[in-house]
Amino acid sequence: MELTPFMKSLGLKYPIFQGGMAWVADGKLAAAVSNAGGLGIIGAGNAPGDVVEAEIKTAKSLTDRPFGVNVMLLSPYAEDVVKVILAHQDSIAVVTTGAGNPGKYVADFKAAGIKVIPVVGSVALARMMERVGADAVVAEGMESGGHIGKLTTMALVPQVVDAVKIPVIAAGGIGDGRGMAAAFMLGAQGVQMGTRFLVATESKVHPNYKKAVLKAKDASTMVTGDFAGHPSRVLKNKMAKKYIKLEKAEALKDKPDFAELEELGSGSLRRAVIDGDTATGSFMAGEIAGMVHKEQSAAEILQDVYQQADKLLSGKD
């Protein structure tokens, strides 16, 4: 399977991005993915600039290959994170963005030789990102873990491909070579995976989190936060079920109050990733969690996915 010129420009062996998952995607995981030939991405999330800088330095100490940083633009520290990225432009090949418009940063990133690849959930947003100068977009369907949009990957990707001239990377519901091959047939030039890397040996997530992913079945996820306008896909547990119950109760009120929901959700991802708290943690994972059956190194994950996709697309035995 031949890489496209865009993927070659990133210095990749495999056209596979590792999702920039908050609290999960640290410098160690990003370096492992990059060393294995994919694009490792550090997830800034809501972390302050100095925390993100420490992860960038960790990645730089572990790999001499390009890696990326995901910037959540609604974070109160977004400006500081951008400054940190620009200070380390020698190593950072890509910035992916979410939760906002990166337009005001695009010129500075490009001047630093950093490619800008926003995550989008609609054709309208993809077109907007193309207009502000994005180099590519990640079209992410609602099958993904964490914060989601309204369209499925199968419906979203080909429509985005038809709507923009820049490269499209498919994400959401992709966990093996079959998903990657399907994404290529839909017109994508690469894929982004998050859930599969949750159980990478280099992933720092708590053993309870990894165990929950490995035990997941096809219907093990649910969407919380839909009523409040911030839908997020998570594995079913006590916290998620309590959240849904409270949401439904608030929906029946004339004047909904989100205070209790905000309190319940505050810090829940950290409690899952770091503490492994199965009762009050938010175990974000995509619908392909039911396809993840073993813990592997980042290198093994990349090789397995790529080889299966290559076999399917080339017709090799």
Side-chain angles (χ1 to χ4, degrees), residues 120-138:
V120 302
S122 69
V123 166
L125 189 54
R127 283 175 170 157
M128 182 187 299
M129 295 301 97
E130 184 176 42
R131 286 196 298 271
V132 301
D135 296 283
V137 291
V138 176

Side-chain angles (χ1 to χ4, degrees), residues 91-107:
S91 300
I92 299 170
V94 166
V95 166
T96 61
T97 65
N101 186 341
K104 66 178 181 178
Y105 305 119
V106 170

Side-chain angles (χ1 to χ4, degrees), residues 34-35 39 51-52 63 85 98 106 130 133 160 167 173 178 183 211-213 215 262:
S34 289
N35 279 333
L39 182 71
V51 173
V52 177
T63 184
I85 291 170
V106 170
E130 184 176 42
V160 171
R178 293 172 297 180
K211 184 178 178 180
V213 174
K215 288 177 62 178
E262 290 175 358

Side-chain angles (χ1 to χ4, degrees), residues 140-216:
E140 184 176 68
M142 65 180 294
E143 299 94 327
S144 64
H147 299 291
I148 60 173
K150 297 293 186 182
L151 296 175
T152 66
T153 303
M154 183 68 74
L156 175 65
V157 171
Q159 293 185 73
V160 171
V161 169
D162 289 347
V164 300
K165 294 182 173 63
I166 54 178
V168 176
I169 294 92
I174 300 170
D176 64 7
R178 293 172 297 180
M180 183 176 181
F184 273 72
M185 294 301 291
L186 295 175
Q189 295 191 21
V191 298
Q192 177 171 287
M193 301 190 306
T195 303
R196 184 77 184 264
F197 286 109
L198 286 173
V199 298
T201 54
E202 300 90 349
S203 167
K204 72 175 184 182
V205 303
H206 194 280
N208 288 349
Y209 200 149
K210 291 188 178 184
K211 184 178 178 180
V213 174
L214 294 171
K215 288 177 62 178

